[in-house]
Amino acid sequence: MEIAKKITLLFAILSAIIISLLSGFVWYFANDFAFEDFYKRLEARVKITAQIKLYEDENNKAYAQMRNQYLERLPAERAFIIEANPKKNNSLKADIVLPKTFVQSINSGKTARYRIENHFYAGKYFKIGNKDYIVIVSANDPFGFRELKDLQKILIIGFFLSVVLSFWVGWRFSNYMLMPLRNIIKSVKRIKAENLHLRLDVKKGSDEMSQLAETFNNMLNRLETAFETQNNFISNASHELRTPLTIISGEVELAIKSNQDPAKQQLALNKIKDEADRLEHILTSLLGLAQSGFNGKNQPWEEVRMDELLWEIKESVHQVHPDSIIDIDLSRLPENEELLTARVNKNLIKLAISNIVSNACKYSNYKPVHVLIENTGNTISVAVTDQGIGIPQTDVQHIFEPFFRASNTNDYKGYGVGLPLSLNIIRLHRGSIAIKSQEGIGTEIKILLPHSGWLFTSS
């Protein structure tokens, strides 16, 4: 069932319940008021009848005259005076046998009331000398009863008309409120892979529809970026893989033709080995990029002291770059060691930081590299600072793109996959990377990771 129909149906049901409750209240109080007024008129006649018929008073004739002259006679009005018999008090017979509750109410000294359809009874106990009497007056109330019947019809007709009206209003209201949602659905249906640049029209305001449209636009921004990154990645990867394969193919042909010249053959074989190593490195990096794009749920996570991990990274970088000088600064360590503990995939995070430290050593021509670790509130900060060639300002915004290399790195061997890989791994760990560089002076890359305590409380 469509949302508009559900809203309309729910609105109609709630309206019907509210209207029925309101009608019930109106009927109850109108019924009570109409009967109460007529009963009081009967009770007044009970007292007058008792005064005229039971009490010996010189004014009785005047009472009777005033009663006949000024007090209207009710339809089917009748008065009954019954001598009370204490031994037979279980029932009273006027024009009908009145119920026991009526008799019990009279015997207790109260004014009793009783009604059958439109015929009303009122009675009261009187003690005159040594005798006990019960005076009962009965009459019909055609006008009040007819008014209640008319009110009942009006309430029933009004109920059904109100339900129909509420259904129509609910239908119009739900369609009006859901129109922005239908527009969003139509706009989203028009967006496909080939026109991801299209965006939804976001109305001014902070209502849920505006938030939904803005959320869709943010999702489309991420999708468009992902598609562009994927296209660029495929294009660059195919180019980077084709280059060493082309060189290997050419060198193999050269080696085959130079079977009489061992020196040329050896040179070609060495070139083939270098390009094969390069191809292996590129494939390994591509595999790392792919793995770092996982959601992390199926990968092993553990608690790792980041300051201890830095010493392992220093040792692994020394194995690749024996001439590197890495200075680990522990001067800002917090007293609480938990503030330096992060829940990470140790192999991946080690690879990410190793890439950054290794680049710092390589592009600084093995000048000292400073690594500072500290806790900044909810995060662990690892800042890697070198004194190398720096990055041109025009290239800084592109260094995290796969296979991109800065314009001043031609003299250095590399493939442009280390930093993108590191960024993917850091994002996988809910962290971020900040970079500050000046050409000819050096570069500082800061890695920010959430420590374990903050990660657990926030999740």
Side-chain angles (χ1 to χ4, degrees):
M1 185 183 292
E2 295 180 356
I3 294 178
K5 293 181 180 178
K6 289 182 179 179
I7 294 175
T8 303
L9 185 60
L10 180 61
F11 184 78
I13 292 173
L14 292 176
S15 299
I17 293 174
I18 294 172
I19 294 169
S20 61
L21 290 174
L22 180 61
S23 300
F25 280 122
V26 171
W27 169 255
Y28 174 79
F29 287 111
N31 190 72
D32 188 65
F33 175 79
F35 290 168
E36 180 68 22
D37 179 67
F38 195 75
Y39 274 128
K40 286 181 178 179
R41 296 169 69 183
L42 287 181
E43 290 167 1
R45 283 164 173 76
V46 168
K47 293 178 181 178
I48 293 174
T49 301
Q51 179 67 37
I52 295 173
K53 300 293 185 180
L54 299 178
Y55 291 93
E56 295 181 0
D57 195 323
E58 59 183 10
N59 297 322
N60 281 357
K61 291 184 178 180
Y63 286 142
Q65 185 177 0
M66 292 179 62
R67 161 76 173 79
N68 295 329
Q69 185 175 357
Y70 296 106
L71 196 63
E72 65 173 334
R73 189 168 186 83
L74 299 174
E77 179 181 342
R78 296 180 66 185
F80 305 92
I81 299 176
I82 304 170
E83 187 174 350
N85 187 352
K87 297 181 180 180
K88 297 181 180 180
N89 58 354
N90 292 327
S91 64
L92 286 176
K93 186 176 180 181
D95 52 351
I96 64 168
V97 177
L98 297 172
K100 293 181 180 180
T101 55
F102 187 84
V103 179
Q104 291 171 356
S105 181
I106 289 177
N107 290 334
S108 64
K110 299 179 181 179
T111 301
R113 296 175 175 181
Y114 181 64
R115 179 177 71 90
I116 300 178
E117 293 296 332
N118 192 32
H119 199 63
F120 295 78
Y121 295 84
K124 192 174 182 181
Y125 181 90
F126 293 92
K127 187 175 181 63
I128 308 299
N130 295 326
K131 293 185 177 182
D132 300 326
Y133 297 92
I134 295 175
V135 179
I136 299 173
V137 177
S138 67
N140 291 337
D141 183 19
F143 302 107
F145 202 75
R146 186 166 58 248
E147 289 175 356
L148 288 176
K149 288 289 185 181
D150 293 339
L151 177 61
Q152 186 180 33
K153 292 179 182 178
I154 292 172
L155 290 176
I156 293 174
I157 295 172
F159 171 79
F160 286 106
L161 290 178
S162 299
V163 170
V164 172
L165 180 62
S166 64
F167 189 88
W168 180 79
V169 171
W171 178 255
R172 296 295 299 270
F173 174 77
S174 61
N175 280 315
Y176 172 76
M177 293 302 297
L178 292 175
M179 186 59 67
L181 181 60
R182 291 193 178 99
N183 293 334
I184 291 175
I185 293 174
K186 290 179 182 178
S187 300
V188 171
K189 285 183 177 180
R190 289 198 299 265
I191 299 175
K192 296 180 175 58
E194 57 270 15
N195 58 359
L196 277 175
H197 62 280
L198 296 179
R199 293 295 179 269
L200 304 181
D201 183 21
V202 179
K203 304 295 183 181
K204 292 183 179 180
S206 58
D207 60 1
E208 286 77 3
M209 293 302 176
S210 299
Q211 294 177 14
L212 179 62
E214 188 173 355
T215 302
F216 267 115
N217 285 340
N218 292 335
M219 181 188 69
L220 290 171
N221 289 335
R222 294 192 296 270
L223 285 175
E224 185 179 17
T225 302
F227 269 77
E228 291 179 355
T229 302
Q230 182 185 31
N231 291 334
N232 293 334
F233 178 84
I234 293 174
S235 176
N236 292 328
S238 61
H239 176 268
E240 292 294 328
L241 291 174
R242 188 181 295 111
T243 300
L245 288 174
T246 302
I247 295 175
I248 289 174
S249 178
E251 292 298 326
V252 167
E253 292 180 0
L254 180 61
I256 293 174
K257 293 178 181 179
S258 304
N259 55 357
Q260 302 297 327
D261 189 345
K264 287 185 178 181
Q265 268 192 342
Q266 186 63 37
L267 186 62
L269 292 174
N270 290 336
K271 187 65 174 178
I272 291 172
K273 183 180 182 305
D274 292 340
E275 292 303 321
D277 292 341
R278 178 186 175 189
L279 185 60
E280 180 185 6
H281 187 279
I282 292 175
L283 290 174
T284 302
S285 299
L286 290 176
L287 180 60
L289 279 174
Q291 289 177 336
S292 66
F294 294 163
N295 58 15
K297 293 181 180 179
N298 298 324
Q299 300 179 18
W301 294 71
E302 57 185 301
E303 301 290 331
V304 176
R305 279 279 301 269
M306 295 304 297
D307 54 338
E308 296 177 355
L309 183 64
L310 288 180
W311 294 104
E312 297 182 21
I313 292 172
K314 179 179 179 179
E315 182 178 351
S316 63
V317 172
H318 270 302
Q319 293 177 355
V320 181
H321 304 289
D323 298 331
S324 61
I325 303 173
I326 302 172
D327 176 27
I328 299 178
D329 187 352
L330 304 177
S331 61
R332 300 184 185 178
L333 290 182
E335 296 181 359
N336 185 359
E337 65 179 24
E338 291 184 359
L339 298 179
L340 289 176
T341 303
R343 183 171 176 79
V344 298
N345 180 293
K346 186 175 181 180
N347 292 331
L348 285 179
I349 204 69
K350 183 177 179 180
L351 174 62
I353 301 177
S354 296
N355 283 341
I356 295 173
V357 175
S358 178
N359 281 351
C361 295
K362 180 172 64 175
Y363 292 114
S364 63
N365 294 315
Y366 304 106
K367 293 179 182 178
V369 173
H370 185 260
V371 180
L372 172 65
I373 182 171
E374 59 181 329
N375 179 276
T376 57
N378 295 327
T379 59
I380 301 171
S381 171
V382 178
V384 180
T385 307
D386 63 49
Q387 305 172 36
I389 60 176
I391 304 172
Q393 290 301 313
T394 55
D395 294 342
V396 171
Q397 59 182 337
H398 301 291
I399 61 169
F400 291 110
E401 296 177 5
F403 303 108
F404 178 84
R405 302 195 70 207
S407 57
N408 59 345
T409 59
N410 294 330
D411 295 335
Y412 299 87
K413 187 177 180 181
Y415 307 101
V417 291
L419 285 181
L421 176 59
S422 297
L423 178 62
N424 282 4
I425 294 173
I426 298 301
R427 285 179 174 173
L428 177 65
H429 290 80
R430 301 186 185 180
S432 60
I433 293 181
I435 184 168
K436 181 173 64 176
S437 182
Q438 188 172 352
E439 190 173 6
I441 295 179
T443 302
E444 178 185 358
I445 296 182
K446 183 175 290 187
I447 303 164
L448 301 174
L449 292 170
H451 66 75
S452 297
W454 177 85
L455 190 62
F456 290 142
T457 56
S458 63
S459 59

